[in-house]
Amino acid sequence: MSEATGRVAFVTGASRGIGRATALTLAAHGHAVALCYSQDEDGANETAAAVKDVGVPSLALRCAVEDTAAVDAAFTEIESTLGPVEILVNNAGITRDGLIMRMTDESWDTVLGVDLTGAFHTIRRAVPKMMRARFGRIVNVASVVAHAGGAGQANYSAAKAGLLGLTRSVARELGSRGITCNVVAPGPIVTGMTEAMGEEWLAGVGALVPLGRPGTAEECAAVIAFLSSDPAGYVTGALVPVDGGLGMGA
């Protein structure tokens, strides 16, 4: 996978996990990387420093993606520092798990606000300049639970499922302007949190996933980086699972 030129990428939720791995992978392909965080400032700064170590510019910003004004301010700073955003990866996400009969309006609204509405905000802000450039790559990070569902995760599952409808609407609307929009759906992925769950979690994943193991953040990042690349220019509106076969047939 080669790029004609380094571009400007914006990765939300890049303090750790899939977001951090994506930022580093895009940097390795020569792209300048802006990244945002909501709470984990130290993690975001570590990611930005690692991107700079690769040899490309980076910028870490605090941005609550559910807030329109915050998103606009973040894009304005990115544009003035690095240039217009050409690659947008919507990875920001939170969970507020709970049984449906006990789930509060706040838990529902908060998760949909970050996981779904946040992606709408960033896409809406990014596309005018992408349209003028007649180039854009948008990748939304969903989850296997978007199509499989998850007990105690009605809010999270609904938000991630909504990303597919958003993605395909954007793909149809903007394809003629050279802008692609795709969604990646990770399955069980090794993170700091899951590593702490120990052997029992690993055994459970092995029993459910055809490949018999959890995935890595780097494996997700590799797929995101391809969908963000110039050679992926004829891929749009796609749902790409990175789940070891867990969601087959859904």
Side-chain angles (χ1 to χ4, degrees):
M1 183 174 66
S2 62
E3 299 290 345
T5 183
R7 300 188 181 277
V8 175
F10 181 28
V11 183
T12 71
S15 294
R16 56 190 182 274
I18 293 172
R20 175 178 289 182
T22 298
L24 291 172
T25 303
L26 291 173
H29 288 290
H31 304 305
V33 180
L35 56 106
C36 78
Y37 64 96
S38 175
Q39 302 292 330
D40 188 1
E41 182 176 4
D42 290 343
N45 287 333
E46 288 172 7
T47 302
V51 167
K52 287 181 180 177
D53 286 343
V54 175
V56 297
S58 68
L59 178 65
L61 303 160
R62 183 186 294 276
C63 177
V65 294
E66 67 274 24
D67 182 337
T68 303
V71 168
D72 182 60
F75 271 84
T76 298
E77 185 168 350
I78 294 165
E79 289 160 356
S80 65
T81 304
L82 301 176
V85 172
E86 299 163 287
I87 297 168
L88 173 63
V89 179
N90 283 308
N91 177 68
I94 61 169
T95 58
R96 295 289 187 273
D97 293 354
L99 297 176
I100 190 70
M101 63 182 177
R102 298 193 183 115
M103 185 172 288
T104 64
D105 288 351
E106 181 183 9
S107 293
W108 176 270
D109 292 341
T110 299
V111 170
L112 266 73
V114 174
D115 296 23
L116 179 56
T117 305
F120 161 67
H121 286 161
T122 61
I123 293 169
R124 182 177 62 183
R125 181 58 175 77
V127 295
K129 286 185 167 58
M130 289 182 176
M131 290 171 68
R132 284 195 285 273
R134 302 193 71 83
F135 178 91
R137 297 286 184 266
I138 301 168
V139 183
N140 298 317
V141 181
S143 168
V144 67
V145 302
H147 44 270
Q153 292 189 307
N155 47 6
Y156 183 73
S157 299
K160 294 302 188 180
L163 283 176
L164 179 58
L166 173 63
T167 295
R168 288 182 168 164
S169 296
V170 171
R172 289 187 183 277
E173 188 172 327
L174 300 177
S176 64
R177 302 299 186 96
I179 300 168
T180 67
C181 190
N182 295 286
V183 60
V184 170
I189 302 297
V190 173
T191 64
M193 181 179 67
T194 57
E195 283 180 336
M197 296 168 70
E199 294 299 321
E200 184 177 349
W201 180 79
L202 287 172
V205 169
L208 291 172
V209 176
L211 285 181
R213 64 170 179 85
T216 68
E218 290 73 21
E219 287 171 320
C220 290
V223 175
I224 294 168
F226 169 69
L227 294 173
S228 302
S229 71
D230 286 21
Y234 204 56
V235 181
T236 196
L239 168 64
V240 184
V242 188
D243 62 8
L246 180 60
M248 282 193 292

